[in-house]
Amino acid sequence: MLRFIPRIFAFKQVLFLWKTADLLRFCRNPFRQTQWTCKGDNLDLFWRLFRLRERSGSRLVTGLLTLVLSRMARRHGGYVGKTAVIEGFLSLPHGLHGVYISRYARIGSGCRIYQNVTIGEVEGKAPQIGRNCLIGAGAVVVGGIRIGDGVKIGAGAVVHTDVPAGSTVVAPPPRIIRRE
């Protein structure tokens, strides 16, 4: 009988996390503006669980949180890879609607990402995005490239080369405009 106690405890944790994800749709408050949410998407719980998963040492807890987070991200219409590194705070004005962040991506603090943005990988290499960057709606950033600090990427731009700090990238075709 004692050997089944850990399994029952793990099962209860799974049920609790599953119910938490299901209750998320009932906990939305469009008037609440915090550092994590904007425009009616309440992603507070998502980001709290994301940070908890980063700190957890147990493979079981990490696996359960990954399951819950992927389910929550899908409900919001996006994807955040399980090993993606997001430093500090990330601003998503339109929530996770169409946002795809590769599991190999590294995003600096203070970045603002709009809807339908793809931060993708090519052959297991994903972009490293600096601090305080702005990525416009529908932009695609792919490959093992480096985006400098304070870069602005315009809507619909496809970026596949390195971008120096303080630059602006516009499309189509992608042009880098350096600010002197």
Side-chain angles (χ1 to χ4, degrees):
M1 182 68 181
L2 290 176
R3 65 181 187 180
F4 294 111
I5 291 176
R7 290 183 186 167
I8 292 171
F9 180 70
F11 183 71
K12 286 184 179 181
Q13 282 183 329
V14 170
L15 285 179
F16 171 74
L17 293 173
W18 198 275
K19 287 179 183 178
T20 304
D22 284 338
L23 290 175
L24 177 66
R25 62 186 159 149
F26 298 113
C27 298
R28 292 186 183 172
N29 183 356
F31 302 107
R32 183 174 177 199
Q33 297 288 320
T34 66
Q35 60 196 1
W36 300 107
T37 63
C38 193
K39 300 286 185 188
D41 271 341
N42 189 353
L43 293 172
D44 283 339
L45 180 61
F46 179 83
W47 291 114
R48 285 182 187 158
L49 292 176
F50 185 84
R51 297 297 178 203
L52 180 66
R53 182 183 68 185
E54 286 178 345
R55 291 178 303 202
S56 75
S58 167
R59 287 182 59 191
L60 175 66
V61 173
T62 302
L64 293 174
L65 288 174
T66 300
L67 173 73
V68 171
L69 285 171
S70 62
R71 182 179 160 107
M72 289 170 67
R74 184 172 176 152
R75 178 170 288 150
H76 284 283
Y79 171 79
V80 179
K82 73 177 190 175
T83 56
V85 177
I86 300 174
E87 301 168 355
F89 299 112
L90 181 66
S91 175
L92 298 166
H94 300 281
L96 281 173
H97 299 291
V99 175
Y100 173 88
I101 299 175
S102 168
R103 62 186 172 162
Y104 302 114
R106 181 178 202 90
I107 301 175
S109 64
C111 289
R112 190 171 186 90
I113 299 176
Y114 287 89
Q115 73 271 18
N116 297 324
V117 169
T118 300
I119 300 172
E121 64 196 61
V122 174
E123 298 174 0
K125 295 181 181 177
Q128 294 183 3
I129 300 173
R131 296 180 177 168
N132 301 319
C133 292
L134 181 137
I135 303 176
V140 178
V141 183
V142 292
I145 62 173
R146 208 166 189 54
I147 307 293
D149 294 341
V151 169
K152 295 179 180 131
I153 299 174
V158 178
V159 182
H160 54 84
T161 59
D162 291 347
V163 180
S167 300
T168 302
V169 179
V170 294
R175 296 176 304 201
I176 299 173
I177 302 170
R178 296 181 189 224
R179 187 165 60 176
E180 305 282 332

